[in-house]
Amino acid sequence: MKVVDGIQMKRLDQKALEEYKIPGIILMEQAGMAVADEVLKEIQRQEISKVMIICGLGNNGGDGFVTARHLFQRGIAVKVRIIGDVARVTGDTKTNYDILRKLKLDIKMLLDLQDIEKLSEEMPHCSIIVDAICGTGLNRDMGGLWKELIHVINRSGKYILSVDIPSGVSAGTGNILGNAVRANKTVVLQLPKVGNINFPGAEYSQTMVVKDIGIPKEIIEQDNLNISLITQEMIKRILPRRKNDTHKGNYGKAYIVAGSTGMTGAAMLTCEAVLRSGAGLLKVAIPQSLNSIMETRLIEAITVPLPELKKGVVGISDIEKIIKTMKESNVIAIGPGSGQTRELEEVLRNICEEATIPMVLDADALNSLAHRLDILNLLKTTAVLTPHIGEMARLTNLPIEEIQRNKIQIAIEFAKKWKVILILKGARTLVASPEGKIFINTTGNPGMATAGSGDVLTGIITGFLAQGLQPLDAALAAVYIHGTAGDRAANRIGEYGLMAGDIVLELPLAIKEIVGK
């Protein structure tokens, strides 16, 4: 499913108007009807019938006027409150406002703080509040009267339904513009907005229902929109069903360079995830002094013990053995628990120079890159990078706060500049491609914010690449299934006690849930 920001949505609206000659008032009618239907569902569920619709002066307010008319026609008691002077209302919004006046609905303007105070006194007598104040065009902080209005709405304790996006949430980023309505449900028109999906805006949208308002599918398909949601249907198409007449060689040879003294757990979790995601054969290069630990725990993997100049870490003296094993493999992953050493930087440089198979760079490999990002210029193959926000800050030399505010744009720019697939991990993990496409993942839960969770993700990506998936497909499938496995684990044991190993155990069941037996 495609996702848009405010500018892209406006462009789609304009194309519907200009190229397909669909009058704007028809789109507004469809939007208002869709919202009215959702209000009626809530009325039936709660057996209540008093609705207050709070409208702005733009098209979002026009959608609210249409909603009011349809509810009124159904015999629902409706109050309409408008923030601002209705003399400024124009176009299709004015047409729908004029209809309400002729129907003699209860309409009042909110022009000052006294009007807001009166509104707060009215709210206890209503059961549902519809927020049709600001739509996707909002690009400044909600201040003054608008800010106070939102405070009153949020304090009301009533069921709140927002039209398209909660007022005060940036449609393009999900950032909160001063203050925002906390909706129980958001009726999203035509396509989800970035602000509906990305945090913190996603918390304000709560339940999200997407409604078609009649923009032709051809317009959406032809517009080359660059943001998409990762969906189960998408992943089901990506993951191939297994044939009966196969052997382990059909499912690829994975190779991992991981682990150091005190960090063998990271290597183990990565390896277990590789195997649980279906790779046929796995080799793990580990410092020689840690080999017995790995062999005891990972009986299904082949270990490649590396001689050590410095005890417990991979060094440049191991590079020939690493390169030789890499050339016998279908994918290589580097970094989980490898330790932050200058030698690892040299190991990474040599691997990037020699590799002709897909690569996954995580954890300490990313920390090494942060010192020598130009190593990426040596790549002859596709690399998948998996930073969390802190690692991304080190890679880009940008403040964490700036990345949080502009995650999508920063991810796209990095992937395009360095010609890599970037997985920016977080509450809404992003996958960015070198072509400027970006995908948003919605699976997963707060319980997955635990040590080792990222190592599991690296293992899943590696496992899928070993099986021959294209790097972008492997990244998309991995983040979605990683989140699904985490959700399964949380449903079983709760979020508080969830550990990375629980995600690994749920991996095969998550894959089965998506692709079947």
Side-chain angles (χ1 to χ4, degrees):
M1 179 183 287
K2 293 296 183 181
V3 180
V4 292
D5 58 25
I7 295 170
Q8 290 169 326
M9 193 67 232
K10 185 175 181 181
R11 188 169 69 231
L12 294 177
D13 283 336
Q14 285 299 116
K15 285 187 176 181
L17 293 171
E18 295 170 5
E19 295 180 18
Y20 284 74
K21 308 302 179 185
I22 300 174
I25 200 161
I26 290 180
L27 298 178
M28 189 173 284
E29 184 72 13
Q30 296 276 62
M33 287 172 64
V35 175
D37 285 344
E38 291 301 316
V39 174
L40 287 167
K41 287 179 187 176
E42 191 59 29
I43 288 172
Q44 291 165 4
R45 190 177 72 83
Q46 297 188 15
E47 297 181 355
I48 51 179
S49 59
K50 293 182 179 179
V51 180
M52 178 182 286
I53 302 178
I54 304 176
C55 301
L57 303 178
N59 287 341
N60 200 249
D63 298 338
F65 295 152
V66 175
T67 302
R69 170 162 49 85
H70 283 280
L71 293 175
F72 178 76
Q73 295 289 82
R74 296 287 193 95
I76 306 300
V78 181
K79 294 182 177 184
V80 177
R81 299 294 177 260
I82 304 169
I83 181 162
D85 188 347
V86 291
R88 293 169 53 201
V89 171
T90 59
D92 299 329
T93 301
K94 184 177 189 306
T95 299
N96 281 299
Y97 167 71
D98 290 340
I99 294 171
L100 294 189
R101 285 186 61 204
K102 290 176 183 176
L103 291 173
K104 296 184 168 56
L105 264 72
D106 180 354
I107 304 172
K108 291 179 183 174
M109 288 187 288
L110 307 171
L111 300 174
D112 53 35
L113 286 175
Q114 285 185 330
D115 292 333
I116 301 296
E117 288 173 13
K118 290 175 185 175
L119 181 75
S120 66
E121 294 169 4
E122 289 184 286
M123 282 183 173
H125 306 291
C126 295
S127 307
I128 298 176
I129 297 172
V130 176
D131 156 35
I133 302 167
C134 301
T136 58
L138 185 67
N139 56 14
R140 57 180 173 78
D141 280 3
M142 300 285 279
L145 203 60
W146 284 263
K147 187 174 183 178
E148 187 56 36
L149 172 60
I150 289 174
H151 276 309
V152 168
I153 292 170
N154 288 340
R155 289 197 303 260
S156 69
K158 302 300 179 180
Y159 185 92
I160 302 169
L161 186 147
S162 285
V163 178
D164 210 14
I165 192 163
S167 294
V169 175
S170 166
T173 64
N175 295 331
I176 306 306
L177 300 173
N179 195 15
V181 170
R182 289 188 174 272
N184 299 91
K185 179 186 281 188
T186 301
V187 181
V188 178
L189 306 177
Q190 196 66 48
L191 292 170
K193 314 306 179 291
V194 173
N196 298 128
I197 308 298
N198 259 3
F199 286 100
E203 288 186 312
Y204 290 72
S205 286
Q206 294 291 318
T207 303
M208 192 177 73
V209 181
V210 181
K211 294 285 189 175
D212 189 334
I213 62 169
I215 294 177
K217 290 180 181 178
E218 289 83 355
I219 292 177
I220 296 169
E221 291 168 358
Q222 292 166 8
D223 199 76
N224 197 29
L225 298 169
N226 68 329
I227 309 173
S228 300
L229 277 186
I230 306 174
T231 64
Q232 182 167 326
E233 293 72 24
M234 180 190 297
I235 304 310
K236 191 170 184 176
R237 289 194 299 270
I238 286 172
L239 291 181
R241 285 186 173 274
R242 295 197 160 195
K243 297 177 181 178
N244 291 327
D245 185 17
T246 55
H247 54 81
K248 67 187 177 197
N250 295 115
Y251 302 113
K253 298 175 182 178
Y255 183 38
I256 294 200
V257 181
S260 60
T261 299
M263 296 294 287
T264 52
M268 287 177 182
L269 285 166
T270 305
C271 291
E272 288 172 353
V274 171
L275 294 167
R276 288 289 186 185
S277 56
L281 188 96
L282 170 63
K283 291 184 178 181
V284 53
I286 191 84
Q288 194 164 23
S289 60
L290 307 177
N291 189 63
S292 60
I293 301 171
M294 297 295 287
E295 283 192 320
T296 302
R297 170 75 179 266
L298 279 171
I299 58 174
E300 297 90 352
I302 298 169
T303 60
V304 181
L306 300 174
E308 304 166 42
L309 288 178
K310 183 179 177 183
K311 189 172 182 181
V313 296
V314 174
I316 192 62
S317 59
D318 306 318
I319 193 63
E320 286 188 17
K321 193 169 187 180
I322 291 172
I323 296 295
K324 181 178 183 297
T325 310
M326 177 181 73
K327 289 180 177 179
E328 299 166 353
S329 306
N330 302 111
V331 58
I332 181 169
I334 312 150
S338 294
Q340 298 186 40
T341 65
R342 288 288 182 187
E343 286 209 75
L344 184 63
E345 292 177 24
E346 282 304 308
V347 170
L348 182 61
R349 184 185 66 78
N350 277 267
I351 291 173
C352 287
E353 224 169 11
E354 295 289 333
T356 56
I357 56 175
M359 299 174 62
V360 185
L361 306 181
D362 183 32
D364 290 319
L366 298 176
N367 291 325
S368 294
L369 276 181
H371 298 127
R372 298 179 62 178
L373 200 53
D374 61 307
I375 287 175
L376 292 176
N377 288 323
L378 302 174
L379 287 171
K380 302 181 183 73
T381 184
T382 304
V384 181
L385 277 60
T386 64
H388 54 57
I389 292 292
E391 290 164 339
M392 192 67 185
R394 291 192 285 276
L395 286 170
T396 58
N397 203 28
L398 293 172
I400 287 176
E401 295 76 15
E402 184 175 343
I403 295 173
Q404 290 282 24
R405 284 195 305 269
N406 301 290
K407 287 192 295 185
I408 288 178
Q409 194 56 40
I410 289 169
I412 289 173
E413 289 172 0
F414 188 95
K416 288 174 72 174
K417 178 178 179 180
W418 295 105
K419 298 179 176 58
V420 297
I421 292 166
L422 182 81
I423 298 176
L424 183 53
K425 298 181 291 195
R428 288 286 188 261
T429 292
L430 304 177
V431 180
S433 77
E435 295 76 33
K437 299 284 186 182
I438 197 146
F439 302 82
I440 306 175
N441 185 53
T442 58
T443 61
N445 62 81
M448 297 174 71
T450 186
S453 180
D455 302 316
V456 175
L457 176 61
T458 294
I460 304 170
I461 303 164
T462 305
F464 288 155
L465 284 168
Q467 293 170 74
L469 268 67
Q470 291 300 308
L472 180 59
D473 287 345
L476 296 174
V479 298
Y480 186 88
I481 289 169
H482 180 249
T484 302
D487 288 340
R488 290 181 62 92
N491 289 336
R492 179 166 54 85
I493 61 174
E495 293 177 358
Y496 278 83
L498 197 154
M499 298 190 301
D502 299 315
I503 304 173
V504 174
L505 291 175
E506 292 291 343
L507 270 177
L509 297 170
I511 295 171
K512 181 182 175 184
E513 181 182 312
I514 294 166
V515 300
K517 291 175 67 175

